[in-house]
Amino acid sequence: MELVWRYHGSLLRLARTYVNSHEVAEEVAQDTWLGVLRGLDGFAERSTFRTWLLSILLNCARSTGVREHRSIAIGAPGPAVEASRFDSSGNWLSPPQHWVEDSDDRLFAETLSAPLRTALEELPVYQRQVVLLRDIEGLSGHEACELLDISEANQRVLLHRGRSHLRQAIEAQLAGA
Amino acid sequence: MTMLSFRGDQIDCQELVELITDYLENALPRKQSRRLAKHLAGCANCTEYLDQMRTTIASTGQLRADDLTVEMLAEVTSIFRRWQGEAD
């Protein structure tokens, strides 16, 4: 059961990128555990358990996701930072302000968790998946490429756009606070 | 350090913010990576920007401590029980 504690949240998050409702995501996650139990013998140490688990989830989610007919938002590739913040020679006009981190890191993280979650939800699905796998699940770029079946270059572009959007969200939050 | 420092050889701040992920991923060609590092060394604003990206990544990582509800866990636990029942 410890496995479930450790991974069920990961499964739900990734499943939600494929299906619209939390309920369906929950079903997909449960299907995944069933797949895991059935396939446990087949788990050779080709990959880490986490990667293997997530690949089962993706298979379950894709088949469900097709039925759900989730629209895939491509998302306009806006700049990482708005052009108006630079002068004509590309220097900062409105430079980034130092983020005063609370001495208590946990408090800082708590302040940011709501806006970060919202910002994650706003990301186009592929960007969200890459950010989830890389920055939340802690997978390597290579592992993320394999799971999502995308090229390394593509993975980096998605990661870049996703992270840039999250940075903007934190910036906006701290500016408004 | 040469006097012939062409504009095209340098990375400006606006370019840097678009290259920062490739830089962090060690995916830039060596020459470009050196240019970027050089820019960072002389630009407090971009250094701040890099710090912000690092903080963003770290803060996103904190979301892992997740909001599993008791109901969800009960649901999954029951799957395991059923499975154990089948296996017996």
Side-chain angles (χ1 to χ4, degrees), chain A residues 154-172:
Chain A
N154 201 345
Q155 189 263 148
R156 284 197 303 274
V157 172
L158 294 167
L159 183 65
H160 178 64
R161 291 187 189 158
R163 281 179 177 172
S164 299
H165 179 68
L166 298 183
R167 189 207 65 83
Q168 286 176 12
I170 297 179
E171 186 173 55

Side-chain angles (χ1 to χ4, degrees), chain A residues 4-5 8 12-13 22 30 50 79-81 90 92 95-99 134-137 156 160 167, chain B residues 13-14 17-18 21-22 25 27 45-46 48-49 52 56-57 61 64 66 72-73 75-77 79-80 83:
Chain A
V4 178
W5 274 108
H8 198 60
L12 280 177
R13 276 190 298 264
H22 185 81
Q30 287 175 25
R50 182 185 292 272
V81 176
W92 287 101
Q97 301 299 307
H98 183 61
W99 289 347
R134 294 295 313 277
D135 295 342
I136 299 186
E137 300 306 333
R156 284 197 303 274
H160 178 64
R167 189 207 65 83
Chain B
C13 304
Q14 196 168 9
V17 301
E18 298 298 347
T21 304
D22 283 359
E25 295 278 295
N45 290 333
C46 284
E48 188 64 52
Y49 188 83
Q52 290 192 354
T56 302
I57 296 163
R64 184 200 283 240
D66 206 41
M72 285 182 211
L73 281 169
E75 197 66 50
V76 184
T77 311
I79 292 182
F80 272 83
W83 174 69

Side-chain angles (χ1 to χ4, degrees), chain B:
Chain B
M1 284 308 215
T2 161
M3 289 182 54
L4 290 173
S5 183
F6 293 113
R7 168 91 181 75
D9 276 355
Q10 292 175 8
I11 289 174
D12 65 37
C13 304
Q14 196 168 9
E15 286 162 348
L16 183 137
V17 301
E18 298 298 347
L19 293 173
I20 203 76
T21 304
D22 283 359
Y23 179 70
L24 289 171
E25 295 278 295
N26 287 320
L28 286 179
R30 197 176 302 169
K31 220 172 173 181
Q32 209 171 8
S33 179
R34 270 204 302 269
R35 282 181 199 142
L36 196 147
K38 199 173 147 196
H39 178 110
L40 279 173
C43 181
N45 290 333
C46 284
T47 302
E48 188 64 52
Y49 188 83
L50 176 62
D51 275 356
Q52 290 192 354
M53 285 307 283
R54 291 204 167 114
T55 305
T56 302
I57 296 163
S59 305
T60 307
Q62 302 274 326
L63 294 179
R64 184 200 283 240
D66 206 41
D67 35 22
L68 283 185
T69 65
V70 178
E71 291 79 23
M72 285 182 211
L73 281 169
E75 197 66 50
V76 184
T77 311
S78 77
I79 292 182
F80 272 83
R81 296 239 170 82
R82 247 180 298 158
W83 174 69
Q84 278 172 343
E86 282 171 26
D88 286 344

Side-chain angles (χ1 to χ4, degrees), chain A residues 4-174:
Chain A
V4 178
W5 274 108
R6 258 170 62 199
Y7 293 117
H8 198 60
S10 302
L11 294 180
L12 280 177
R13 276 190 298 264
L14 196 58
R16 282 287 273 124
T17 67
Y18 277 94
V19 299
N20 280 321
S21 72
H22 185 81
E23 287 69 27
V24 181
E26 183 67 27
E27 277 173 34
V28 170
Q30 287 175 25
D31 285 351
T32 303
W33 286 116
L34 281 175
V36 168
L37 295 172
R38 291 197 192 104
L40 214 48
D41 294 340
F43 171 63
E45 306 214 345
R46 284 162 300 167
S47 51
T48 64
F49 179 73
R50 182 185 292 272
T51 313
W52 180 67
L53 179 65
L54 293 177
S55 72
I56 295 177
L57 174 94
L58 286 175
N59 282 333
C60 293
R62 282 187 187 120
S63 53
T64 311
V66 171
R67 286 201 299 275
E68 279 268 297
H69 189 66
R70 185 186 174 100
S71 62
I72 293 170
I74 302 299
V81 176
E82 289 207 31
S84 63
R85 292 182 61 181
F86 299 95
D87 66 19
S88 57
S89 32
N91 298 315
W92 287 101
L93 273 177
S94 159
Q97 301 299 307
H98 183 61
W99 289 347
V100 186
E101 287 177 51
D102 205 290
S103 52
D104 185 349
D105 277 355
R106 253 166 73 201
L107 206 71
F108 185 69
E110 270 169 31
T111 319
L112 298 182
S113 83
L116 273 175
R117 275 174 213 279
T118 308
L120 260 176
E121 283 293 312
E122 288 164 356
L123 290 180
V125 64
Y126 289 122
Q127 289 179 32
R128 185 154 22 117
Q129 287 175 343
V130 170
V131 171
L132 273 174
L133 294 177
R134 294 295 313 277
D135 295 342
I136 299 186
E137 300 306 333
L139 299 190
S140 70
H142 186 69
E143 288 172 315
C145 288
E146 288 212 331
L147 276 175
L148 299 173
D149 197 20
I150 54 179
S151 71
E152 302 264 349
N154 201 345
Q155 189 263 148
R156 284 197 303 274
V157 172
L158 294 167
L159 183 65
H160 178 64
R161 291 187 189 158
R163 281 179 177 172
S164 299
H165 179 68
L166 298 183
R167 189 207 65 83
Q168 286 176 12
I170 297 179
E171 186 173 55
Q173 170 75 16
L174 295 179

